[in-house]
Amino acid sequence: EDKVVQSPLSLVVHEGDTVTLNCSYEVTNFRSLLWYKQEKKAPTFLFMLTSSGIEKKSGRLSSILDKKELFSILNITATQTGDSAVYLCAVESYAGNNRKLIWGLGTSLAVNP
Amino acid sequence: DGGITQSPKYLFRKEGQNVTLSCEQNLNHDAMYWYRQDPGQGLRLIYYSQIVNDFQKGDIAEGYSVSREKKESFPLTVTSAQKNPTAFYLCASSIDRVRNEQFFGPGTRLTVL
């Protein structure tokens, strides 16, 4: 059965800390891995990763994929209170023309001032 | 501004009543999706649509129905057959099912009393 496991489930840090969130997966026919940030309501897209070893970066956030070991990490440096959110990982698998996203449970990050 | 809108934000219904949740997008996306999100569970796919007048069941379609008469609109009806309808419902869209980077609406929180 396809599955996506995120760790830790929750995390509390102080402003300025660096955090690393993990996403491991077991899916058939992997196509891509996506990271989203969810603050109360709609998840907002952060990154899509398809190739191993290529870091995607956006400001203080970065992410990398390891397709051999079947995991991805999301790094946030110099955290701010505005980074407090649930971070969701989803893996896209495909079978012919049918593609679907398998979602992890998320990591709840709280950044305290 | 392009985006996805869902209405209403909060909805209360009595048990046994059908209720329809609205989802509209002006991104010119072909594919649209409905998910439900419950505490302690990942996003679960209810229905998706790849093009107008076509839709497919997701993982938890029982007790739900959809229509896709227009490209911009993908309403979800929660019927009285849905045994546990109280949840947070998220609508999403993507350019198509191949380019599966999904963009989400703000969600509707449905409470059935």
Side-chain angles (χ1 to χ4, degrees):
Chain A
E1 183 184 339
D2 293 341
K3 63 179 179 181
V4 174
V5 179
Q6 292 186 245
S7 63
L9 285 180
S10 65
L11 192 54
V12 181
V13 300
H14 291 290
E15 264 190 318
D17 289 350
T18 293
V19 298
T20 299
L21 310 183
N22 303 291
C23 176
S24 63
Y25 61 90
E26 291 178 29
V27 301
T28 51
N29 299 320
F30 172 92
R31 185 172 182 271
S32 66
L33 184 145
L34 299 95
W35 283 98
Y36 286 82
K37 176 183 182 182
Q38 186 174 23
E39 298 171 271
K40 301 288 186 186
K41 294 180 181 176
T44 53
F45 173 79
L46 294 175
F47 299 112
M48 176 187 275
L49 303 157
T50 55
S51 302
S52 276
I54 298 174
E55 186 184 49
K56 292 263 180 120
K57 198 168 171 65
S58 175
R60 294 176 295 102
L61 277 66
S62 63
S63 184
I64 198 160
L65 173 68
D66 186 329
K67 289 167 74 173
K68 183 179 177 186
E69 300 297 329
L70 307 183
F71 78 92
S72 173
I73 59 171
L74 175 68
N75 275 324
I76 309 175
T77 59
T79 52
Q80 302 171 357
T81 55
D83 295 326
S84 297
V86 174
Y87 290 84
L88 298 171
C89 172
V91 174
E92 184 182 15
S93 70
Y94 70 93
N97 286 328
N98 188 24
R99 287 170 162 77
K100 67 174 185 176
L101 290 181
I102 301 120
W103 294 83
L105 298 183
T107 293
S108 177
L109 173 65
V111 180
N112 292 329
Chain B
D1 282 336
I4 304 176
T5 57
Q6 290 184 244
S7 60
K9 281 186 182 178
Y10 301 96
L11 190 56
F12 295 87
R13 278 293 182 271
K14 290 184 179 178
E15 202 172 313
Q17 291 180 331
N18 291 355
V19 61
T20 297
L21 310 184
S22 165
C23 177
E24 305 277 331
Q25 54 98 0
N26 61 3
L27 299 167
N28 200 33
H29 285 174
D30 282 329
M32 297 186 74
Y33 313 82
W34 273 106
Y35 293 92
R36 68 177 276 167
Q37 188 174 37
D38 297 281
Q41 299 198 48
L43 292 174
R44 293 185 289 166
L45 182 65
I46 304 172
Y47 268 98
Y48 65 94
S49 167
Q50 299 188 67
I51 54 172
V52 175
N53 292 323
D54 174 77
F55 48 84
Q56 307 293 329
K57 291 182 180 180
D59 300 319
I60 54 164
E62 187 176 345
Y64 299 97
S65 66
V66 293
S67 63
R68 187 86 186 277
E69 296 175 5
K70 297 187 299 181
K71 188 174 186 177
E72 302 80 16
S73 178
F74 190 40
L76 173 75
T77 296
V78 184
T79 75
S80 56
Q82 168 49 233
K83 293 178 182 171
N84 188 18
T86 294
F88 186 54
Y89 290 88
L90 284 163
C91 178
S93 70
S94 63
I95 293 174
D96 52 43
R97 280 285 281 179
V98 175
R99 290 165 285 184
N100 204 1
E101 176 188 324
Q102 294 182 16
F103 295 87
F104 286 83
T108 292
R109 187 165 297 280
L110 172 65
T111 302
V112 175
L113 306 171

